Amino acid sequence: MDYLALMLVAVSLAMDAFAVSIGNGMTMRGAGVRHALAFGLMFGGLQFLMPIAGYLLGSSFSASIGGIGPWVAFALLVLIGGKMLSESFRAPGEGPTAAGTEPPSLGRLFLLGIATSIDALAVGVSIALTGWNIWVSALVIGAVAFAFSFFGVVAGKKIGARFQRNASRLGGAILIGIGIKILVEHLLS
């Protein structure tokens, strides 16, 4: 298991949650530790569960796809990374980073968590195809998402909207890079 790649994947996946947390932290009235904890637990918890669900899905068909597994992992990571990059070029106020001035309800927070963790579901499929340990992977992904989300809300009032876009761009570029790395390792082995 490549722990550096796992950490890069975890950071990349956390970038969407980080951007949403920053956006909400910047616009929420009275954003504090309680709100940061709610964002961290919701986003971190979903980022932990989604790779497991994706892994179970991927494990069910990974034996049947055999040698094309690294190609599928490459395609999924490049598509996810490309989606993150393209969404980072949206006009301000579009997409899941738009927020009101009131803290989101639990239902809205859950929907934001789902929106920011769908990518982790696809990464879970990739994990099944690469043979990484799903429990270690999911734990690292969830913990990093918790930390980034918590910090994002706390720091949101101090960080401008420009950083929000750069976080998504960096995350997308890293996922594309990991996908290319998986493919190159497969081709060279």
Side-chain angles (χ1 to χ4, degrees):
M1 185 163 169
D2 185 347
Y3 291 102
L4 177 60
L6 172 59
M7 192 54 120
L8 289 173
V9 166
V11 167
S12 297
L13 291 174
M15 289 301 180
D16 278 350
F18 184 57
V20 170
S21 297
I22 287 172
N24 278 273
M26 289 185 326
T27 60
M28 260 191 306
R29 272 189 251 148
V33 173
R34 182 172 58 101
H35 298 105
L37 190 58
F39 272 78
L41 289 172
M42 183 65 76
F43 290 3
L46 288 168
Q47 291 269 3
F48 170 77
L49 293 173
M50 289 296 218
I52 294 170
Y55 179 86
L56 294 173
L57 196 79
S59 294
S60 66
F61 67 82
S62 66
S64 64
I65 61 175
I68 65 166
W71 288 93
V72 173
F74 163 76
L76 285 172
L77 291 170
V78 168
L79 286 172
I80 295 165
K83 177 180 152 278
M84 287 174 68
L85 282 171
S86 70
E87 287 176 353
S88 74
F89 290 99
R90 286 183 179 171
E94 289 183 9
T97 59
T101 56
E102 295 298 318
S105 66
L106 186 59
R108 178 162 155 55
L109 187 58
F110 178 75
L111 290 176
L112 287 170
I114 292 293
T116 60
S117 63
I118 290 296
D119 299 347
L121 180 73
V123 168
V125 173
S126 297
I127 289 170
L129 299 172
T130 60
W132 288 0
N133 181 309
I134 184 56
W135 298 108
V136 171
S137 300
L139 186 61
V140 169
I141 290 167
V144 169
F146 172 86
F148 274 48
S149 301
F150 184 91
F151 176 73
V153 172
V154 171
K157 292 190 184 263
K158 297 178 182 174
I159 297 174
R162 183 172 167 233
F163 185 77
Q164 191 175 347
R165 292 177 174 282
N166 291 335
S168 289
R169 289 176 186 155
L170 178 62
I174 290 172
L175 284 180
I176 290 169
I178 296 295
I180 291 169
K181 178 185 177 289
I182 289 170
L183 183 61
V184 168
E185 285 176 351
H186 171 68
L187 293 173
L188 295 177
S189 63

